Amino acid sequence: MGRRTGPQRVRRGAVRDAILVVLAERAMHGYELMTELEARSSGRWRPSPGSIYPALTRMERDGLLSAEEHDGKKAFSLTDRGREARDAVDLDDSDPLPARPREPDDVYEALRALPPEIAGQARQLRRFGSPHQVERAATLLDEVKRRLYDLLADGSRRDAGTDGKEGDTG
C-alpha cells in the first residue's frame, strides 16, 4: 500500500488521545492544539474546530482537563485524572501522532512541514491581527515568495551549467 499524502481521517478516539499527549507537555488553547497536531503529523492531519472544541468541552466536563482564561483565550491543561488517562494512551504505528515531535527525516521533509504552519499563522493574523500586523505579514510573505523564486532561478542557472550557451559560436 502506497504512502498517502494530504489530509487524512483518523481513527475514532484519536482526537482525545492526541489532545492528552500534547497537553501533557504544556497548556494550550484550541487553535494551538490544531496547529501543533498538524505540525506533528507533518501536515497529514489537521483536526477541525468541529472536532477539537467539542472534544475539549467533553474532556473538561469529564475532569480530564482544566481551563484558565488567558488574554481572552481558554488555555487547557491536564488534571491528575487527565495525566492518568495520558499514561493509558497506547501509541502505535497506526496513530497519526507520535509521542514527541518527529525530527524531519531530511531537508525535504522539513520544507514540507513549514507551509501548513505558516498558513495557520496567516489565518490567525487575518482573523485576529490588527490592520498593521496584517500588512506587515503580507509584506513579509511577499518577500519570502520573491526570495524563493530567486532561489529557484539561481538553482536553475547553476544546474544548467552554461545557461544553454553550449556550442554557441556566435
Side-chain angles (χ1 to χ4, degrees):
M1 184 169 166
R3 186 173 169 179
R4 291 180 56 177
T5 59
Q8 296 178 4
R9 293 186 57 88
V10 297
R11 67 171 172 74
R12 185 180 281 290
V15 172
R16 176 189 173 274
D17 291 351
I19 290 170
L20 289 170
V21 169
V22 172
L23 291 182
E25 297 170 10
R26 69 178 175 92
M28 292 184 201
H29 58 77
Y31 177 79
E32 283 179 296
L33 279 164
M34 290 185 291
T35 303
E36 179 68 16
L37 294 172
E38 182 179 31
R40 288 184 185 212
S41 69
S42 300
R44 292 175 313 195
W45 176 52
R46 179 180 178 86
S48 68
S51 64
I52 284 290
Y53 291 106
L56 290 170
T57 300
R58 227 176 2 264
M59 293 169 73
E60 185 179 16
R61 186 183 60 230
D62 293 343
L64 301 174
L65 305 178
S66 63
E68 284 187 34
E69 190 88 15
H70 293 287
D71 299 325
K73 297 175 186 172
K74 238 180 171 179
F76 295 90
S77 58
L78 295 182
T79 62
D80 289 338
R81 189 170 176 192
R83 280 186 281 284
E84 289 173 11
R86 163 52 185 108
D87 292 341
V89 171
D90 182 30
L91 295 173
D92 61 29
D93 291 337
S94 67
D95 282 312
L97 176 71
R100 301 230 181 275
R102 275 187 276 161
E103 292 297 318
D105 298 330
D106 56 27
V107 293
Y108 296 99
E109 182 67 22
L111 184 60
R112 190 175 78 74
L114 284 172
E117 291 179 50
I118 292 168
Q121 295 305 316
R123 281 191 298 273
Q124 279 291 92
L125 279 163
R126 280 195 320 266
R127 288 183 69 197
F128 303 111
S130 69
H132 178 70
Q133 288 173 318
V134 171
E135 183 179 337
R136 286 178 51 206
T139 300
L140 177 64
L141 290 174
D142 192 51
E143 174 66 21
V144 168
K145 180 180 72 173
R146 276 196 308 275
R147 287 182 177 210
L148 288 171
Y149 281 131
D150 288 346
L151 183 64
L152 285 168
D154 182 50
S156 296
R157 284 192 297 271
R158 189 173 39 251
D159 292 343
T162 59
D163 291 333
K165 296 180 182 176
E166 285 183 349
D168 188 5
T169 57

